[in-house]
Amino acid sequence: MYFSKLFIPILKNNPTEAKIKSHQLMLRIGMIKQASAGIYSWLPLGFKVMKKIEKIVRDEQDKVGVQEILMPTIQSSEIWKESGRYEDYGEEMLRIKDRQEREMLYGPTNEELVTDIFRSSIKSYKSLPQLLYHIQWKFRDELRPRFGIMRCREFYMKDAYSFDLNDDEAVFSYNKFYLAYLKTFERLGLTAIPMAADTGPIGGNLSHEFIILADTGESKIYTDKRIFEVKNKDITLEKESLKKLREKYEKYYSVTDEKFNEEEFNKNVPEEYRLKTKGIEVGHIFYFGDKYSRPMNASVDYKGKKEFVKMGSYGIGVSRLVGAIIEAKYDDKNEIMKWPLPVSPYECAILPLISKNDNSNLNKANNILKVLKDNNIDTIIDDTEENFSAKMKKFNLIGIPFQIIIGKKSDQNLLEFKELGEESKNINLDKIVEIIKSKK
Ligand code: ATP
Ligand code: MG
């Protein structure tokens, strides 16, 4: 891919309207464009990153046995009246009327719709558990949309729902998501900590927010630093193994604002491990029993008895994650972004020095591109006539983790190769391929 042919509208300076680095960078390197307040178009670079994140999110849902569906963005108000949330949700819900004057809405979440899907078909406890997810746009008319796609009105979310016969089985389902979330964030290069959270308008009694540390985050957290060392290796999808996983984390005090209690914190956490800081909520899981199944009459037959199913819901902010990764990875001091390889818009950038009448470096770049392509390395060539320092500065911001720099003396046996943030070295192309592949 040639840089000059791509739609990557780079700005010379940081946009002044953006207050935090992820918002600045996303506008600066042309990942998004605001369409109206809190509503964004995703341009090629931003969309590519989001799609890569989505793929990892999807993969980890599939691995724990969740089935993918797709529900619409527009919902009827009827089911929300059944659950009682049509009134409760307030002004965050975007309400619309169709030409027959029917009350519709743009879905802020999908508990009602998925419960309606469930109750129309599942009648026996033998079909449980049912775990369903979709990845779809949501709309919440936030009071103060801000920080670009971090708190916007239209955003892309993975939301999953579980249906079980009883509390014990429901907690088992909950714990599968707990594991899937830890694995998802790990693959995205993030350390996201599960924190006991309030259940808020969704209601219920068990809930965790997955939070990554960041000064610019909007969640206040209170935690025992030792929780960062907990490992989730060797966990299987067995009930007992998942229970142990939760216990490993829950040994350490770790809560969000609403659950915070100073006395408990001081009692449970030795002073040297106490951490009061800020973070970004990237995922949130809830267990809420029959809060929706009872009013919506979603039940199964259990040996001749009618049982309302026990439900949970599980969200990941797929679009918010793009910004969250920037907040976590951007090096402010050196103005370098380095995407984790699995979600980087490209894996490698070739930066040839090109002058008007000499195509030789571009030809070398094309030959290298072919080899990288054959090795499935997603690569971009900067074919502009900018000087080296301009190219480097641009690509430090774009954040592609590997760069190959081609000057006069370069050939396939001696290329300047650089991993962002590290010293460059002169090596041959085979070695470069080997290094990039080993990091994939
Ligand atoms: P927040 O506390 O940040 O407002 P929430 O608790 O209202 O979020 P949930 O209903 O738990 O959000 O939604 C699941 C996930 O969707 C959140 O963890 C977050 O990553 C993402 N999300 C929620 N609201 C927004 C928004 N306005 N813009 C972007 N992503 C969002
Ligand atoms: Mg939440």
Side-chain angles (χ1 to χ4, degrees):
M1 265 302 186
Y2 281 165
F3 185 84
S4 69
K5 299 282 185 292
L6 293 169
F7 193 89
I8 306 180
I10 302 233
L11 304 176
K12 272 220 158 58
N13 297 304
N14 273 335
T16 48
E17 74 268 29
K19 299 278 176 281
I20 65 173
K21 51 199 173 194
S22 60
H23 190 196
Q24 288 166 0
L25 190 73
M26 290 181 78
L27 292 172
R28 175 102 185 254
I29 62 175
M31 295 177 77
I32 50 170
K33 181 177 185 314
Q34 184 171 322
S36 58
I39 303 179
Y40 289 85
S41 300
W42 289 77
L43 306 182
L45 210 57
F47 195 57
K48 228 172 156 217
V49 174
M50 186 162 72
K51 284 285 147 185
K52 288 191 176 183
I53 294 173
E54 179 184 355
K55 199 158 172 259
I56 291 173
V57 170
R58 172 177 286 118
D59 190 44
E60 292 299 327
Q61 293 295 291
D62 294 343
K63 274 191 196 159
V64 296
V66 198
Q67 307 160 78
E68 186 166 14
I69 60 175
L70 183 59
M71 293 178 268
T73 53
I74 306 289
Q75 305 181 19
S76 156
S77 63
E78 294 305 315
I79 45 175
W80 287 75
K81 286 177 183 161
E82 279 189 56
S83 73
R85 275 210 294 185
Y86 195 57
E87 295 302 318
D88 293 354
Y89 220 94
E91 294 198 294
E92 266 194 24
M93 180 184 276
L94 180 65
R95 297 158 202 258
I96 317 161
K97 277 204 178 124
D98 71 7
R99 61 167 74 193
Q100 259 93 35
E101 294 288 304
R102 276 186 296 243
E103 290 172 321
M104 313 291 285
L105 56 101
Y106 194 125
T109 179
N110 282 58
E111 281 81 8
E112 283 79 358
L113 196 52
V114 78
T115 304
D116 182 53
I117 292 171
F118 176 90
R119 71 179 173 185
S120 64
S121 315
I122 302 288
K123 303 291 178 200
S124 162
Y125 79 98
K126 289 185 181 149
S127 306
L128 300 182
Q130 284 293 331
L131 310 178
L132 303 171
Y133 78 99
H134 79 158
I135 305 178
Q136 178 62 293
W137 293 93
K138 305 289 183 293
F139 195 95
R140 293 183 189 172
D141 203 352
E142 297 268 357
L143 184 60
R144 277 194 302 278
R146 57 193 176 279
F147 305 147
I149 49 81
M150 298 283 264
R151 178 164 306 283
C152 49
R153 297 198 296 166
E154 191 181 41
F155 58 98
Y156 202 43
M157 193 213 275
K158 186 284 301 178
D159 40 325
Y161 304 88
S162 64
F163 302 85
D164 280 281
L165 182 62
N166 54 41
D167 279 335
D168 186 52
E169 289 300 309
V171 170
F172 181 25
S173 292
Y174 184 93
N175 292 347
K176 289 180 193 165
F177 285 98
Y178 190 97
L179 174 68
Y181 276 38
L182 289 170
K183 297 226 154 157
T184 303
F185 299 126
E186 199 175 296
R187 278 179 69 184
L188 297 174
L190 297 173
T191 308
I193 299 297
M195 312 251 167
D198 220 27
T199 46
I202 296 211
N205 37 26
L206 176 61
S207 174
H208 288 91
E209 286 182 8
F210 288 77
I211 297 199
I212 62 164
L213 300 190
D215 296 338
T216 48
E218 295 191 278
S219 305
K220 280 196 189 130
I221 52 175
Y222 305 83
T223 186
D224 184 326
K225 284 180 196 163
R226 287 173 292 183
I227 202 166
F228 293 99
E229 308 307 321
V230 177
K231 300 274 178 292
N232 59 41
K233 296 263 168 331
D234 305 322
I235 305 294
T236 67
L237 282 177
E238 306 293 317
K239 213 181 229 175
E240 277 310 305
S241 180
L242 291 169
K243 203 169 144 212
K244 282 213 186 89
L245 171 69
R246 271 212 21 227
E247 283 165 3
K248 280 209 281 188
Y249 280 93
E250 285 170 1
K251 228 169 61 198
Y252 302 112
Y253 187 92
S254 196
V255 302
T256 59
D257 213 9
E258 307 96 358
K259 284 242 165 185
F260 179 61
N261 175 315
E262 186 94 49
E263 224 172 276
E264 263 179 47
F265 185 55
N266 293 340
K267 201 176 98 203
N268 286 302
V269 189
E271 204 171 345
E272 68 265 38
Y273 297 123
R274 283 178 211 155
L275 180 66
K276 291 183 179 179
T277 186
K278 285 198 213 145
I280 301 167
E281 176 191 329
V282 285
H284 198 166
I285 59 179
F286 300 88
Y287 174 51
F288 44 76
D290 59 7
K291 183 172 192 290
Y292 299 95
S293 58
R294 190 175 284 273
M296 292 186 69
N297 198 19
S299 62
V300 290
D301 176 77
Y302 179 63
K303 301 181 177 167
K305 228 175 109 218
K306 171 175 161 169
E307 295 281 353
F308 292 112
V309 282
K310 300 293 199 311
M311 293 175 57
S313 74
Y314 314 87
I316 290 184
V318 176
S319 51
R320 177 181 282 182
L321 271 165
V322 180
I325 292 172
I326 296 173
E327 293 297 324
K329 303 291 174 191
Y330 185 71
D331 169 359
D332 228 350
K333 206 171 110 226
N334 300 307
E335 296 198 308
I336 296 177
M337 173 60 201
K338 186 179 179 190
W339 291 100
L341 197 55
V343 298
S344 183
Y346 294 91
E347 292 164 324
C348 183
I350 306 176
L351 312 182
L353 186 61
I354 297 170
S355 55
K356 278 210 164 46
N357 311 314
D358 182 2
N359 267 340
S360 59
N361 284 343
L362 186 59
N363 291 339
K364 285 179 204 165
N366 280 328
N367 291 335
I368 293 167
L369 176 73
K370 198 176 164 309
V371 175
L372 295 180
K373 232 177 164 175
D374 289 345
N375 282 283
N376 287 321
I377 295 168
D378 194 6
T379 305
I380 182 171
I381 296 181
D382 186 353
D383 60 327
T384 65
E385 287 177 13
E386 286 170 336
N387 63 32
F388 260 150
S389 86
K391 285 190 179 191
M392 300 282 275
K393 205 168 159 217
K394 183 169 75 186
F395 274 87
N396 282 350
L397 284 178
I398 294 176
I400 296 160
F402 298 106
Q403 298 177 345
I404 298 172
I405 296 147
I406 302 183
K408 281 224 153 42
K409 291 192 197 123
S410 317
D411 63 44
Q412 297 207 1
N413 291 317
L414 198 66
L415 291 164
E416 188 179 344
F417 177 66
K418 193 169 154 165
E419 178 161 1
L420 267 187
E422 290 176 22
E423 290 295 311
S424 66
K425 48 188 167 193
N426 293 312
I427 52 178
N428 70 29
L429 188 55
D430 288 345
K431 187 81 191 138
I432 290 176
V433 169
E434 196 186 306
I435 292 175
I436 299 179
K437 280 180 132 181
S438 74
K439 305 246 172 154
K440 281 230 232 191

